[in-house]
Amino acid sequence: MTCDDVRAALSARLDGEDPGAPGAVLDAHTDTCPGCRSWLARAEQVTRAVRVQAVAVPDLTAAVLAAVTADPQARPVPAQTHRAALRARRQVLRVAVAVAAVAQLAVALPILLAGLGVAPDPHTSREMASFDVALAVGFALAAYRPERAQAFVPVAMVLAVCLAATSTVDIVNSTTALMHELGHLAAVVQAGLLWALGRVSRELDGPARVVAAAGRG
């Protein structure tokens, strides 16, 4: 076989076709013929370059980002974030109202049981302590069931306003000292805490009430 015949057969073999000659004969020729061996090396390089071509991959970045943005599960939901913040705020307010209730009970119970207080006689002291205990229990119930805190707000607000007004009048008329009336500030703080707890609970439970009402209808 001439070099041209060998090269034609080698080219056919590279293309996956029938070379028309035994492979051993072609290999033996390339082993002894530097020209055909060099030609085969170049032909193999060309074949690999043709078969292994770079594939143009489209840029799908914009499409992927648009799909993620359009997916409601992938987007941050402001309503859920807001409700999570409200739940955390309500928990803090519940603890604050509970602490205020415990503190009021700690002050009122000894007076109720022993009859020792700021009033001129034990009976009046016990009456005032009974009122404080009842108020503390209301605060404790509001902390335990924050959805009902709004019902206690009018009582706490009226008490805070009345105590603040009477304390101011008594201080102006010099019938009492300022330091004796500082304790009434606790009632104002408690009323503010209770109002805030009721407001947050109403905002959290409002959608649930609407759904429940729709279900009953």
Side-chain angles (χ1 to χ4, degrees), residues 131-132 135 156-170 181 183-188:
F131 177 79
D132 290 337
L135 194 63
M157 286 296 181
V158 170
L159 176 63
V161 171
C162 291
L163 288 176
T166 55
S167 296
T168 302
V169 171
D170 291 340
E181 301 301 310
H184 295 328
L185 290 177
V188 178

Side-chain angles (χ1 to χ4, degrees), residues 58-173:
D59 187 3
L60 301 177
T61 304
V64 171
L65 291 177
V68 171
T69 304
D71 187 358
Q73 295 183 351
R75 290 178 297 175
V77 181
Q80 294 179 357
T81 304
H82 179 62
R83 287 186 63 82
L86 286 177
R87 283 193 292 268
R89 190 185 310 169
R90 183 170 69 173
Q91 189 63 24
V92 172
L93 290 170
R94 289 180 66 185
V95 172
V97 171
V99 170
V102 172
Q104 191 166 10
L105 279 176
V107 174
L109 284 177
I111 299 175
L112 179 63
L113 298 177
L116 301 176
V118 296
D121 61 273
H123 177 70
T124 303
S125 295
R126 287 195 177 95
E127 287 184 344
M128 295 174 60
S130 298
F131 177 79
D132 290 337
V133 169
L135 194 63
V137 170
F139 279 105
L141 290 175
Y144 178 66
R145 298 293 297 272
E147 67 276 6
R148 298 182 179 179
Q150 195 68 24
F152 298 98
V153 172
V155 176
M157 286 296 181
V158 170
L159 176 63
V161 171
C162 291
L163 288 176
T166 55
S167 296
T168 302
V169 171
D170 291 340
I171 291 173
V172 172
N173 293 333

Side-chain angles (χ1 to χ4, degrees), residues 166-201:
T166 55
S167 296
T168 302
V169 171
D170 291 340
I171 291 173
V172 172
N173 293 333
S174 300
T175 57
T176 186
L178 176 61
M179 61 178 301
H180 293 158
E181 301 301 310
L182 291 179
H184 295 328
L185 290 177
V188 178
V189 173
Q190 288 173 335
L193 291 173
L194 197 62
W195 172 82
L197 179 60
R199 182 179 179 183
V200 172
S201 298

Side-chain angles (χ1 to χ4, degrees), residues 14-103:
L14 289 175
D15 293 336
E17 301 174 358
D18 184 12
V25 174
L26 298 177
D27 294 338
H29 181 86
T30 54
D31 289 341
T32 57
C33 179
C36 289
R37 186 166 58 251
S38 177
W39 180 91
L40 178 60
R42 291 193 302 270
E44 289 175 343
Q45 292 178 356
V46 173
T47 301
R48 283 195 298 268
V50 171
R51 291 180 179 177
V52 184
Q53 294 182 349
V55 179
V57 179
D59 187 3
L60 301 177
T61 304
V64 171
L65 291 177
V68 171
T69 304
D71 187 358
Q73 295 183 351
R75 290 178 297 175
V77 181
Q80 294 179 357
T81 304
H82 179 62
R83 287 186 63 82
L86 286 177
R87 283 193 292 268
R89 190 185 310 169
R90 183 170 69 173
Q91 189 63 24
V92 172
L93 290 170
R94 289 180 66 185
V95 172
V97 171
V99 170
V102 172

